[in-house]
């Protein structure tokens, strides 16, 4: 005679992480992994963090993503460098600049130079705030090359002066 077959299966943390991922709750998936890392077998923390931060950036929540980075990326310099590029690609490096590590981990000077260069080009206020936060470039081990940054600032100031002069000349020509 026909009968019902019931299949029972024990749910594990991986299944819970899968549910979080399918529902777009990437932050919760990261939290589950971090709470029970030894019981997760099918997922890697780095992949969950990537999905979580990508989702935040895609949703326009750059400040929230940046605030989560110190905890999620910790002392992994290569992860920090990856996410600096990712934030820059999304046009929100200024949000990340305030939480970039300057110690433990200490990134390569070229990374700090690149961040300052990009901020100078896109957000001068964030540039100034970041330079102040990062401290004295004349220290024993400076974070960035002061001479390089000064040259870039001088070029930007000169470009701004040239644009003002051109606009003034244009205005005078229009009046005459």
């Amino acid at each position: 005679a026909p009968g019902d077959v019931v299949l029972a299966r024990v749910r594990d943390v991986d299944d819970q992480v899968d549910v979080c991922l399918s529902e777009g709750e990437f932050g919760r998936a990261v939290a589950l992994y971090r709470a029970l890392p030894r019981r997760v077998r099918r997922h890697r923390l780095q992949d969950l963090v990537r999905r979580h931060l990508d989702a935040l950036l895609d949703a326009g929540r750059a400040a929230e993503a940046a605030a989560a980075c110190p905890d999620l990326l910790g002392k992994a310099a290569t992860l920090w460098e990856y996410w600096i590029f990712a934030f820059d690609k999304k046009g929100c490096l200024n949000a990340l600049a305030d939480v970039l590590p300057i110690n433990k981990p200490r990134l390569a000077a070229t990374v700090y130079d690149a961040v300052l260069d990009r901020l100078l080009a896109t957000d001068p206020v964030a540039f100034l705030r970041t330079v102040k936060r990062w401290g004295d470039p004349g220290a024993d081990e400076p974070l960035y090359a002061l001479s390089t940054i000064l040259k870039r600032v001088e070029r930007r100031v000169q470009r701004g002066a040239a644009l003002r002069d051109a606009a003034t000349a244009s205005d005078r020509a229009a009046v005459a």
Side-chain angles (χ1 to χ4, degrees):
D4 293 334
V5 175
V6 176
L7 175 65
R9 191 178 108 161
V10 176
R11 293 283 184 184
D12 61 9
V13 178
D14 278 308
D15 295 326
Q16 292 176 341
V17 170
D18 286 335
V19 169
C20 291
L21 295 176
S22 70
E23 294 175 356
E25 294 185 22
F26 304 112
R28 200 168 125 227
V30 170
L32 273 169
Y33 184 103
R34 294 178 91 188
L36 302 163
R38 294 176 189 224
R39 294 178 55 196
V40 179
R41 291 183 170 56
R42 294 191 314 256
H43 300 280
R44 292 180 343 132
L45 180 59
Q46 189 172 340
D47 295 334
L48 298 174
V49 166
R50 181 187 48 76
R51 291 183 73 176
H52 176 51
L53 292 177
D54 278 339
L56 290 173
L57 289 174
D58 290 343
R61 296 164 52 191
E64 187 178 342
C69 283
D71 183 47
L72 296 176
L73 307 180
K75 296 178 181 178
T78 54
L79 291 178
W80 277 103
E81 290 173 8
Y82 171 85
W83 285 103
I84 288 168
F85 174 76
F87 273 72
D88 186 32
K89 189 175 178 183
K90 296 279 186 177
C92 43
L93 184 57
N94 57 344
L96 187 62
D98 290 335
V99 297
L100 285 178
I102 56 176
N103 200 355
K104 295 181 184 178
R106 184 176 185 116
L107 308 176
T110 54
V111 173
Y112 295 111
D113 285 345
V115 168
L116 289 176
D117 190 41
R118 182 57 114 181
L119 291 176
L120 179 61
T122 60
D123 189 345
V125 173
F127 168 81
L128 181 59
R129 184 178 63 238
T130 303
V131 167
K132 286 179 178 179
R133 179 178 165 266
W134 288 354
D136 181 12
D140 291 338
E141 295 182 36
L143 290 176
Y144 55 92
L146 179 60
S147 61
T148 303
I149 297 303
L150 284 176
K151 287 177 189 172
R152 291 179 182 148
V153 169
E154 287 172 358
R155 278 197 305 260
R156 181 165 171 87
V157 168
Q158 289 169 353
R159 245 190 342 258
L163 289 173
R164 270 193 315 277
D165 291 346
T168 302
S170 175
D171 290 345
R172 286 183 190 153
V175 172

